[in-house]
Amino acid sequence: MPPADEHYFSASPSGELVPRTISVRLAGRDLELTTSSGVFSPDRLDSGTSVLLSNVPAPPPGGNLLDLGCGWGPISLSLAMESPHATVWAVDVNERSLELVRRNAAALGLTNIHAVRPEDVPADARFTTIWSNPPIRVGKNELHAMLLHWLPRLEPGSDAWLVVQRNLGSDSLQRWLQAELPRDFAVLRAATNKGYRVLRCRRRTMLTEPIDTIED
């Protein structure tokens, strides 16, 4: 039998959804949330997501906020709690992940999360931020196609924040994004912690906009 989260990027994981409860701290709150096998990191808040959540600014108070590759929902739930007047799109191809996000949102009384497959996000939706622990293990071609589909949907003057393990190619991904995204994007390293990079993809309002970066 494969490890519990080996096929977390499959649309329909094998086996039944057997709920389990884990304790996590999100957006300054201690929470009991539901996970299951067949999704990414079902037993705990994974290190990459923890690094991301510790190194991003407060999300915009309104607009459409995107969690790309939402899993059981730690990023989406954090966005929804911190920006209750925004609309949070929790996007994943894994139907079990989406069901868990819905359950966790309902348990927390959050009504501003839409947990949907990628094709169910309105084509005209634009985002005031994107937070993502992207599924690196889906393969380079699929990962690149996913990022080039979603990142250009940022509003001007907005940021995407991505967390990637350094030994899984964070620095080469940063260079690739800078080369492939439209010219109004700047891709910078915002933080390094626990073997992870947090990349900031800024859609500038003008090409001369100064942007801070982090150096080793």
Side-chain angles (χ1 to χ4, degrees):
M1 179 177 293
D5 63 352
E6 180 177 341
H7 300 298
Y8 64 86
F9 43 80
S10 300
S12 300
S14 60
E16 296 182 7
L17 190 161
V18 180
R20 67 184 75 169
T21 300
I22 63 171
S23 300
V24 296
R25 185 170 180 83
L26 299 174
R29 296 172 59 181
D30 293 314
L31 306 172
E32 299 290 316
L33 299 175
T34 301
T35 72
S36 172
S37 63
V39 302
F40 177 63
S41 192
D43 298 317
R44 60 185 177 87
L45 180 66
D46 68 283
S47 297
T49 298
S50 178
V51 168
L52 178 72
L53 293 175
S54 298
N55 287 280
V56 289
N64 291 303
L65 317 182
L66 174 63
D67 172 10
L68 186 58
C70 62
W72 51 263
I75 293 175
S76 299
L77 299 170
S78 298
L79 288 168
M81 287 187 287
E82 292 189 37
S83 297
H85 301 295
T87 299
V88 177
W89 295 91
V91 172
D92 209 297
V93 299
N94 186 322
E95 295 287 356
R96 183 170 300 175
S97 292
L98 299 176
E99 173 60 24
L100 290 168
V101 174
R102 296 180 191 119
R103 291 190 186 197
N104 286 321
L108 296 176
L110 300 172
T111 60
N112 58 331
I113 295 181
H114 298 291
V116 297
R117 291 178 55 83
E119 61 268 24
D120 295 325
V121 178
D124 60 350
R126 297 295 179 266
F127 304 102
T128 54
T129 198
I130 298 172
W131 291 6
S132 181
N133 183 353
I136 298 296
R137 297 184 189 278
V138 298
K140 184 178 292 186
N141 290 341
E142 190 165 345
L143 174 69
H144 287 179
M146 179 180 71
L147 294 175
L148 287 182
H149 175 76
W150 292 102
L151 294 183
R153 295 173 68 172
L154 274 174
E155 296 276 10
S158 299
D159 298 283
W161 302 87
L162 313 177
V163 64
V164 183
Q165 267 188 285
R166 188 172 182 177
N167 64 5
L168 291 180
S170 61
D171 294 348
S172 60
L173 180 64
Q174 178 184 349
R175 292 190 295 270
W176 180 86
L177 286 168
Q178 187 62 78
E180 297 296 328
L181 287 169
R183 289 184 63 244
D184 57 345
F185 275 84
V187 184
L188 308 166
R189 189 166 71 249
T192 299
N193 193 14
K194 298 180 181 178
Y196 290 87
R197 303 282 206 204
V198 177
L199 303 181
R200 178 188 181 192
C201 302
R202 174 74 172 175
R203 183 155 216 172
R204 296 172 289 184
T205 54
M206 54 184 178
L207 294 180
T208 57
E209 177 184 340
I211 302 172
D212 294 333
T213 187
I214 299 295
E215 299 294 342
D216 285 338

